[in-house]
Amino acid sequence: MRDPSSDTPHYAEVAIDVPLRQTFTYRIPKNLAERAVPGCRVSIPFGPRKTVGVLVATSTATNLTSGTIKTIQAVLDEDLPTFTPELIKIVRWIADYYRCGIGEVIAAAYPFPVSMHSKNIRLIGLPIGIGIETLIEKATSKQQKAVLEFLKQNDADIGTRHLASATGVSESVIRGMIRRELLTVSETTKIRRPNALHAEADQAPALTAEQEQALNTIVHSMNNKGVPVLLEGITGSGKTEVYLQAIREVLDRGKRALVLLPEISLTPQTARRFVARFGDVVAVLHSGLSVGERFDEWWAVRRGERSVVVGARSAVFAPLSDLGLVVVDEEHDHSYKQSDAVPRYHARDAAIVLARQVGAVAVLGSATPSLESAYNAERGKYDCTYLRSRPTSQHLPTVRLVDMRHRPKDEQIISIELRTALEERLANKQQSILFLNRRGFATSMGCNECGHVLRCPNCSVSMVYHRRDRQLICHHCEHSEPEPSVCPECNARFIRQQGWGTERIVEMLQEDLPGAHIVRMDRDTTQRKDGHQLVLDEFRSGADTLVGTQMVTKGLDIPNVTLVGILNADGSLNVADFRASERTFAQLVQVAGRAGRGTEAGEVIVQTWCPDHYAIQLALKQDYRSLYDREIRLRRNFSFPPFTRLILLRAEGENEVRVKDLAWQLYRLLSERAKGVTVLPPLEAPLYRIRNMYRWHIALRARGHKSLAQLLDDSDVDALLTRPGHKLRVAVDVDPTDTL
């Protein structure tokens, strides 16, 4: 007779947050068998310590020797497993494709302390079954009577501190009333919700013919095999309204939706549009929230209380079941790629895979699609639909190119053309946006006598001068030093400032445009909680000019903005990156699209020292198709993506000689084992030292990802990648978007 217990899982595969591409086998004790299910968090012994892992699979047998297998000590999840099956599946794919530990991906997906829990609060109310007049008769002071009258009039339970504040009594008075049973105490869970989730309800407008066609393309994909849809639409063409009505279709089918945005700054305003349309079923997930807000939003999604998730890159890890639609807005944006920490994943690509895994539709929207996405549409891998006009009478802004070569000294930063245009907007009570992708006051400081430049002691870069704080700051490691009064090399007093950033632009404008209300939006002004929203609210409420970095280039829809000034259009061209022209074009088109979205015509003034460069010339005409045709030919000729796949290996360490030796050792081994893979010789990274770590790059290139994966799976190669030596490490960046 068959033993029925043979079908009961006895072993668990557990993912632990360590940099190893494997799971660990543990025995499931009988008393935990019912609760030890995939997705739950478990307490386990790991080496000499106890830690927490996530159970990702169970089995009835194992090839390991029984005596070597340790036992799960506790299951930490009470009601629901923390991770859904869908989330475990995409986590596994990210760990495999981006070559990192599954536990490392899980830590990124659920970035909360083990001790984190919902916030319970005590509420004070009136006893049930006792009349208010009877309670007032029992009261022994005017303060007690005031508390009872307040609760009678407001007819709602309230926290102790708020009740004391509202009635002007001390908390000790309230505690005394509780002891005398004049008041009751109940405990409830406080849901910490983001400030963005408040908006007046709106109704869906009628779609234009182009929008209707775009929606039909998405619905057709829903009804068929879920082919990804590329929605290419000019700025202001109403892509968000298409998303909204596609989500309504998904919700009506009993499914749920995920919307990814490239910038935290976009999330509050976009979230409000979704809340206005769908109400409390909308959740927001991004790193700008408090930990408590993120925790409560995450678990509300997990419990099925939210059907629409709006968030930045990490929202791809939202624990959504029954997913029907994944939207990636501004899909071209490189902010979707996490390059500086594990897992080095691309949220757009992960979203496409997630949609495929669960049978949902992925919609990629952009006015300037990435070449990879446009190429996939051209080959038929994606469906493609277009929005070529704005839905109202709004026209695209006129664009004026200003050649900054040979300008007099007082026009080196702001040309007379731009200054005049700003004055006109002030006179007409219209608003302006100025874009410069450099923060701080001056990009460097140096000595006029000996030429010494003040550099970061930890990184191979100069430090940026911030005048407000009188500090020199490294924008890579955040090292700071006070502004020097003399040169640290020769003691000369002639310290000059070189270059300029957003802080200096604001100071110049305040001098040139007295009385103007100018606000700044960059990392320095948006670090505090809700910082992005506070700056935007100030601008919307009547500020004249917004000066900012790339945060102001996308998503902003402010009708009174009629002028956009681009101060250094070619700044992103001078980068050692094969995507430089594509990125410059996209950045210029995106920021230009912030102008003229109301009833008044918009104007864009583009200042550049490279007026003849094709990326700038084509951006002036918003001619994406010509940019694509030219770039795709170059990519084909030089064997760059999308015609090849890349992996960047970065050897890092504190000892310069040992890092170089490791890079060459790795290069020789890879060259020896490579089949169908081009291994490029090691080079010093453009940013050679960051946070006291020296860096060397090795680039791998192949026709497909499979050849690259097979090379890195070689046992000797894998050993050198994962165990390179004492105080050495190798970062593996699959499909890199940043080569610095």
Side-chain angles (χ1 to χ4, degrees), residues 677-690:
V677 176
T678 300
V679 183
L680 301 180
L683 293 172
E684 294 180 359
L687 293 177
Y688 183 49
R689 187 165 59 102
I690 298 292

Side-chain angles (χ1 to χ4, degrees), residues 69-128:
I69 302 176
K70 297 180 180 180
T71 301
I72 291 174
Q73 297 173 335
V75 175
L76 303 181
D77 294 340
E78 294 292 335
D79 301 321
L80 282 173
T82 298
F83 286 80
T84 62
E86 297 90 343
L87 186 47
I88 290 177
K89 194 172 183 180
I90 191 60
V91 160
R92 281 186 176 278
W93 179 85
I94 288 173
D96 180 64
Y97 185 81
Y98 293 102
R99 308 194 66 82
C100 55
I102 184 172
E104 294 177 298
V105 184
I106 283 174
Y110 188 76
F112 307 111
V114 176
S115 59
M116 188 86 182
H117 54 75
S118 299
K119 184 176 182 179
N120 292 328
I121 57 172
R122 298 174 65 199
L123 294 180
I124 310 301
L126 296 172
I128 298 174

Side-chain angles (χ1 to χ4, degrees), residues 5 7-12 27-38 40 55 58 72 74-75:
S5 67
D7 293 332
T8 303
H10 299 298
Y11 303 99
R27 181 179 287 105
I28 302 174
K30 289 183 179 180
N31 65 314
L32 297 179
E34 289 187 4
R35 295 174 55 210
V37 296
C40 71
L55 194 159
T58 59
I72 291 174
V75 175

Side-chain angles (χ1 to χ4, degrees), residues 33 58 79 149 218 277 324 349 389 407 436 444 453 471 487 514 520 556 638 676 704 724 732:
T58 59
D79 301 321
E149 287 287 354
I218 296 169
R277 189 67 57 86
D349 297 344
S389 59
R407 291 273 166 160
L436 174 64
S444 66
V453 175
Q471 293 275 315
C487 173
R520 176 161 59 97
L556 300 187
F638 290 102
V732 180

Side-chain angles (χ1 to χ4, degrees), residues 16-31:
I16 302 171
D17 184 11
V18 292
L20 296 174
R21 298 180 61 221
Q22 66 180 86
T23 57
F24 299 86
T25 303
Y26 285 83
R27 181 179 287 105
I28 302 174
K30 289 183 179 180
N31 65 314

Side-chain angles (χ1 to χ4, degrees), residues 8 20 98 152 317 356 399 555 561 704 715:
T8 303
L20 296 174
Y98 293 102
K152 173 187 174 183
F317 296 117
R356 185 175 69 231
V399 183
V561 172
S715 58

